[in-house]
Amino acid sequence: MNYHWNWSIFFEPAPNGTGTYLDMLLSGLLLTIETSLCAWIIALVFGAVVGVMRTLPSKAASRIGFAYVEFFRNMPLLVQLFIWFFVLPEIVPQDWGLWLKQMPHAPFYTAVIGIGLFMSARVAEQTRAGVNSLPRGQKMAATALGLTTAQTYRYVLLPMAFRIIMPPLTSEFLSTIKNTSVAITIGLIELTGEARAMQEFSFQVFEAFTGATVLYLLINIVVVVAMRFLERSIAIPGYITGK
Amino acid sequence: MIEISHVDKWYGPSFQALRDCTTSVAKGEVVVVCGPSGSGKSTLIKCVNALEPFQAGEIILDGIKVNDPKTDLPKLRARVGMVFQHFELFPHLKIIENLCLAQEKVLGRSHDEAMAKAAKLLDRVGLKDHARKYPAELSGGQQQRVAIARALAMDPIAMLFDEPTSALDPEMISEVLDVMVDLAREGMTMMVVTHEMGFASKVAHRVIFMDQGEIVEDALKTDFFGSPRSDRAQKFLSKILSH
């Protein structure tokens, strides 16, 4: 292989005039973090609501939750992003479609919503599993004390359920971060996008993607460590899963 | 206080859990419900505060019809204390918080008021030194005493006990029964599902014997232990009293 290695490429100025190649990757990293955090918030909120719906005694709520989960988790993420980005503006009324197409930062919003909803189906399944893993008597005890269903979930079931599903939720958060790279296909120049741009400008493909890999690794390690601390701080003394 | 009349309950289309159950518990009365496992005694007691729905008949609690769709069930349930076989303390809350939760969220008491009440009741069940611990740090007998205190914190008009000592090690049963005996002697209205015939003969006014979803015998304590009329009750008693 006749490849010219050049690790100092990161400190050379990039032709787009915004600084060095490293600055390029770091600005991509920033966008990756922003996109992941916003998508994760959507995933948590929608996932928690839908997951709870699937555990309610109401058959209608449970069916709606089931349909939601199966819809969002059974379609590839790439297809979902294409639908949100390319198909949606064409099928809504014309002026709405125009507004969507002219919206600034459309790739960012589309990625946040698309990845957020895709991940919310998975968070919903975790939430459902967490609530269902609690003894049936917990709900009965709360109900017998006069708590309403909403209060029972808020004060009794969800605080325990979320503690139990904290480790799988960490994995889902990591998946969210990694999945933002798919948004490159709708023009979001996040970390992977910047790495590809760097490769195109400098032809240093190995360095560019090694840089991106290291940065992905770093944020994921930060997330893992932070979640471990969170797990430990909310652990319950004497309770087995809290250990 | 508790009027149960002609209650029928089915699980699914074929299994009848309760057959035409009729009985009552007067104010200040202690009624023990016993019978072989699967006889419907737990189901019956859970129907009293509508934790289990039933299909026919009616239950009237302090003048309020339990199975009336217009009844505010959370409000009604808050007035009846219930103690479960597996304690069902809320594991993520400290002992004192377990006692305060429903007082504050259901009865609307101030935090200070709830804390004062909780501290008094913990003292009464001999656990005031454990107020700041979590449920998992207590023994089974201690947890069940906390559960009784939690129910009493709501100032209930009646108490329902669903096999309160069945999940306990033998040496812990008496500490729980002692609390229950005190309660009975203070004039609390109690409906107790239990196999503890010693407790029944000490404080019960009446004993109900159930088998296969039916109330086979509903007699004053002296009559029940003296000369149970039904064969099935006699057989049951001979089995559990022979050791």
Side-chain angles (χ1 to χ4, degrees):
Chain A
M1 193 174 73
N2 193 6
Y3 183 77
H4 175 69
W5 291 93
N6 177 15
W7 289 105
S8 60
I9 183 77
F10 292 113
F11 305 104
E12 290 170 19
N16 62 2
T18 52
T20 62
Y21 280 110
L22 181 63
D23 292 332
M24 250 176 88
L25 288 188
L26 289 177
S27 76
L29 176 68
L30 188 66
L31 190 54
T32 292
I33 293 173
E34 285 168 0
T35 314
S36 323
L37 283 179
C38 295
W40 184 237
I41 290 168
I42 290 184
L44 274 184
V45 172
F46 281 69
V49 171
V50 174
V52 164
M53 278 170 73
R54 293 202 68 185
T55 64
L56 290 175
S58 150
K59 282 223 172 74
S62 158
R63 276 195 200 123
I64 292 169
F66 173 79
Y68 179 98
V69 167
E70 297 308 330
F71 180 82
F72 282 108
R73 78 169 174 183
N74 287 328
M75 213 190 311
L77 177 57
L78 186 62
V79 174
Q80 292 193 31
L81 286 187
F82 281 5
I83 289 175
W84 289 114
F85 197 69
F86 298 117
V87 181
L88 185 69
E90 306 300 333
I91 55 174
V92 293
Q94 208 174 3
D95 30 331
W96 295 11
L98 205 62
W99 179 80
L100 279 173
K101 286 180 205 167
Q102 290 169 342
M103 187 169 58
H105 309 299
F108 174 75
Y109 293 120
T110 310
V112 164
I113 291 169
I115 296 167
L117 293 181
F118 176 76
M119 293 308 297
S120 73
R122 305 183 52 108
V123 173
E125 282 301 276
Q126 306 287 6
T127 307
R128 179 173 77 106
V131 171
N132 285 345
S133 75
L134 300 173
R136 233 167 62 89
Q138 288 281 299
K139 192 174 186 174
M140 274 195 184
T143 308
L145 281 167
L147 295 171
T148 60
T149 304
Q151 287 174 325
T152 299
Y153 275 89
R154 163 71 184 79
Y155 298 112
V156 176
L157 301 180
L158 290 181
M160 277 315 289
F162 277 116
R163 279 179 172 87
I164 291 168
I165 62 170
M166 202 51 87
L169 276 189
T170 305
S171 302
E172 300 301 351
F173 190 15
L174 298 179
S175 299
T176 308
I177 296 169
K178 289 176 285 181
N179 279 339
T180 55
S181 64
V182 177
I184 191 182
T185 56
I186 55 169
L188 187 74
I189 311 299
E190 38 63 76
L191 183 51
T192 307
E194 293 286 12
R196 219 177 69 163
M198 175 174 168
Q199 171 229 322
E200 278 164 5
F201 288 138
S202 67
F203 304 106
Q204 300 293 348
V205 56
F206 291 107
E207 290 85 344
F209 282 98
T210 306
T213 305
V214 169
L215 290 176
Y216 275 119
L217 209 61
L218 282 178
I219 37 172
N220 282 355
I221 288 172
V222 169
V223 169
V224 168
V225 171
M227 292 293 276
R228 197 54 55 78
F229 271 107
L230 183 62
E231 264 171 56
R232 216 167 292 165
S233 70
I234 58 172
I236 296 157
Y239 194 79
I240 299 139
T241 62
K243 279 180 188 160
Chain B
M1 183 67 79
I2 304 170
E3 301 285 338
I4 300 171
S5 45
H6 306 291
V7 168
D8 287 308
K9 177 179 174 61
W10 284 269
Y11 284 113
S14 53
F15 181 71
Q16 191 167 1
L18 296 176
R19 292 166 204 269
D20 196 28
C21 291
T22 300
T23 187
S24 67
V25 181
K27 190 168 161 47
E29 200 176 22
V30 177
V31 173
V32 162
V33 184
C34 63
S37 54
S39 60
K41 46 196 198 308
S42 284
T43 307
L44 181 67
I45 202 170
K46 281 179 184 142
C47 285
V48 172
N49 60 353
L51 286 183
E52 292 277 2
F54 50 93
Q55 284 78 24
E58 66 172 22
I59 295 180
I60 293 175
L61 193 58
D62 195 31
I64 299 162
K65 197 172 160 190
V66 172
N67 52 324
D68 184 338
K70 288 195 287 271
T71 301
D72 181 353
L73 281 177
K75 203 172 153 193
L76 185 64
R77 287 180 183 127
R79 301 176 62 206
V80 188
M82 185 148 194
V83 175
F84 296 85
Q85 185 176 0
H86 296 287
F87 333 132
E88 305 302 349
L89 297 179
F90 306 135
H92 61 296
L93 299 178
K94 290 184 181 128
I95 298 305
I96 190 102
E97 293 167 340
N98 262 279
L99 269 70
C100 288
L101 179 68
Q103 288 191 67
E104 291 174 34
K105 303 301 173 193
V106 179
L107 301 182
R109 287 182 185 155
S110 74
H111 185 63
D112 292 342
E113 202 182 343
M115 289 289 277
K117 178 98 192 170
K120 210 171 85 191
L121 284 164
L122 281 182
D123 191 23
R124 172 178 172 172
V125 297
L127 293 168
K128 99 180 153 208
D129 297 338
H130 299 278
R132 299 276 154 204
K133 288 188 180 169
Y134 285 89
E137 297 174 294
L138 266 53
S139 73
Q142 290 171 328
Q143 288 190 51
Q144 194 62 299
R145 278 143 67 198
V146 173
I148 295 173
R150 178 175 70 178
L152 291 175
M154 305 295 283
D155 291 321
I157 53 170
M159 288 282 285
L160 307 172
F161 292 84
D162 185 10
E163 304 207 31
T165 56
S166 301
L168 294 173
D169 289 339
E171 75 266 30
M172 292 174 183
I173 290 177
S174 69
E175 66 185 57
V176 171
L177 288 180
D178 286 346
V179 172
M180 291 169 61
V181 167
D182 284 349
L183 207 53
R185 293 202 169 134
E186 282 166 27
M188 175 61 80
T189 308
M190 291 163 74
M191 189 165 172
V192 185
V193 173
T194 187
H195 295 297
E196 295 296 332
M197 288 302 131
F199 172 81
S201 63
K202 204 190 269 177
V203 294
H205 299 105
R206 274 173 36 235
V207 178
I208 292 170
F209 176 75
M210 290 184 71
D211 193 18
Q212 293 176 0
E214 264 176 293
I215 293 180
V216 179
E217 188 137 353
D218 183 349
L220 290 173
K221 170 178 69 182
T222 43
D223 294 343
F224 184 79
F225 287 113
S227 54
R229 280 149 291 185
S230 69
D231 280 357
R232 279 184 284 182
Q234 270 172 17
K235 263 187 206 147
F236 177 77
L237 275 182
S238 72
K239 271 182 198 150
I240 64 167
L241 293 179
S242 62
H243 294 289

